[in-house]
Amino acid sequence: QVQLVESGGGLVQAGGSLRLSCAASGLAFSRYAMGWFRQAQGKEREFVAVIRYSGANTDYADSVKGRFTISRDNAKNTVYLQMNSLKPEDTAVYYCAAAIGTLPRRTHEYAYWGQGTQVTVSS
């Protein structure tokens, strides 16, 4: 059974930082691209960042480029999202997901999803 478990969310002031983690089990983690998505209340789920199975390549949404960094540790079956210079518009539930592919950006390309972790940025 595949499980993706996010952690590290919380309440932070604008300009602050948070580091999200996603621990994976039940899948060959090092073979999957890992992505982060977010969904704000009343909005569709949107792509945030993705990292290739090897960690050699990454891709980011324009809205987070230069502020967020995705990384992974294949020995620990964990993917991370370091979020700096947070803004109120970053407030959302953040999800990690696993996909077979290079650097997928679309939700339907992902086979497995976590339950999400809430990030709230106050102004």
Side-chain angles (χ1 to χ4, degrees), residues 31 35-36 42 44 54 57 77 82 93 100 104 119:
R31 296 182 182 180
W36 285 97
E44 291 188 354
S54 64
N57 303 95
N77 286 4
Q82 178 67 43
V93 177
I100 293 292
V119 171

Side-chain angles (χ1 to χ4, degrees), residues 26-75:
L27 78 168
F29 181 78
S30 62
R31 296 182 182 180
Y32 284 80
M34 296 299 296
W36 285 97
F37 289 75
R38 66 187 181 186
Q39 188 165 18
Q41 196 167 7
K43 295 189 177 181
E44 291 188 354
R45 193 168 298 189
E46 65 174 3
F47 168 77
V48 174
V50 61
I51 186 166
R52 199 172 179 182
Y53 66 91
S54 64
N57 303 95
T58 57
D59 190 22
Y60 297 90
D62 288 345
S63 59
V64 306
K65 202 170 292 185
R67 300 189 296 123
F68 290 11
T69 303
I70 188 170
S71 61
R72 67 190 294 158
D73 185 338
N74 285 349

Side-chain angles (χ1 to χ4, degrees), residues 69-122:
T69 303
I70 188 170
S71 61
R72 67 190 294 158
D73 185 338
N74 285 349
K76 296 182 178 180
N77 286 4
T78 302
V79 61
Y80 306 97
L81 187 68
Q82 178 67 43
M83 306 186 294
N84 298 330
S85 302
L86 282 161
K87 305 175 181 179
E89 52 263 43
D90 294 318
T91 296
V93 177
Y94 283 70
Y95 299 89
C96 71
I100 293 292
T102 305
L103 293 171
R105 281 178 158 242
R106 295 172 291 184
T107 56
H108 75 267
E109 296 179 279
Y110 286 79
Y112 304 108
W113 291 85
Q115 292 300 306
T117 185
Q118 176 70 47
V119 171
T120 303
V121 184
S122 63

